Amino acid sequence: MATVPPLPAADEQAQFADLARLVGPPVRRYLVRRAPGDAVDDLLAEVFLVLWRRRRDLPEDDPLPWTYAVARGCLANAARARVRRLRLLERLGAQPVPGQVDPEAGAEVRHALLALGELDREVVMLWAWEGLPPREIAVVTGLTANAVSIRLHRAKAKLAAVLGKEPGVAGQQQGEGRRP
């Protein structure tokens, strides 16, 4: 069984609160001048986290320069993370998405789905696209399996009417979407 580390002494917490009051405002100004506005609070929190973890390493005479060094490191980490995210987005954007279809393909079906109410649309999509049987759709939606079956039957009939097809033609064939 894992042991819970002891809480820091009250005087240690008070000392850290004093440190935060001392270095917080100048470090915040430092970060505001160097980071995007929406990242400043997160970066400042990261700086304080590092200060807390390394509180025993802090120079007692003047902790501000050391704190600036920590802030500089946090800025560098954030910049590297931003570059990694951008590279990942570029790589993902260059790769075809599995199952991606032409935006024009299926427009008629998407339009027909919009003719359904939100819950009926969700029931149909869970059945047709996710392959869930009514009892599992019931778990997802909070309906009973019987209510799902009724909604699914009516929604398929409405889709068939909107698409101008016979009711038995819309969606999956008998037995499809059921797991063994």
Side-chain angles (χ1 to χ4, degrees):
M1 182 160 107
T3 60
V4 177
L7 293 175
D11 60 329
E12 198 172 33
Q13 289 179 358
Q15 287 174 345
F16 189 76
D18 290 341
L19 172 71
R21 280 190 287 280
L22 174 72
V23 301
V27 170
R28 187 173 211 311
R29 287 190 301 269
Y30 174 86
L31 293 170
V32 164
R33 287 188 291 269
R34 289 164 176 79
D38 61 344
V40 171
D41 290 333
D42 290 338
L43 285 165
L44 186 59
E46 186 68 28
V47 168
F48 282 128
L49 180 62
V50 172
L51 290 178
W52 177 255
R53 288 181 183 155
R54 304 217 25 223
R55 62 190 177 276
R56 290 175 183 83
D57 298 335
L58 278 164
E60 292 181 22
D61 57 337
D62 189 9
L64 188 57
W66 195 84
T67 304
Y68 281 139
V70 169
R72 187 170 182 264
C74 290
L75 280 166
N77 288 342
R80 283 190 297 274
R82 189 172 39 255
V83 168
R84 283 192 306 271
R85 279 192 303 276
L86 289 174
R87 278 193 216 134
L88 176 62
L89 287 172
E90 287 173 8
R91 278 197 326 259
L92 290 175
Q95 295 178 356
V97 177
Q100 186 177 28
V101 295
D102 176 16
E104 297 301 315
E108 183 182 17
V109 173
R110 283 193 302 280
H111 182 272
L113 281 170
L114 292 175
L116 300 176
E118 187 177 332
L119 184 57
D120 288 343
R121 186 170 44 249
E122 180 68 9
V123 166
V124 168
M125 291 188 308
L126 286 168
W127 174 75
W129 293 347
E130 308 306 328
L132 297 180
R135 72 181 185 296
E136 292 177 6
I137 296 171
V139 173
V140 174
T141 60
L143 299 170
T144 64
N146 190 42
V148 168
S149 294
I150 292 168
R151 282 184 174 273
L152 186 58
H153 176 75
R154 289 179 181 161
K156 288 192 305 185
K158 186 170 185 177
L159 283 174
V162 170
L163 292 170
K165 299 189 178 194
E166 295 297 318
V169 178
Q172 297 173 336
Q173 298 300 317
Q174 183 71 21
E176 286 185 335
R178 301 188 187 276
R179 295 187 183 153

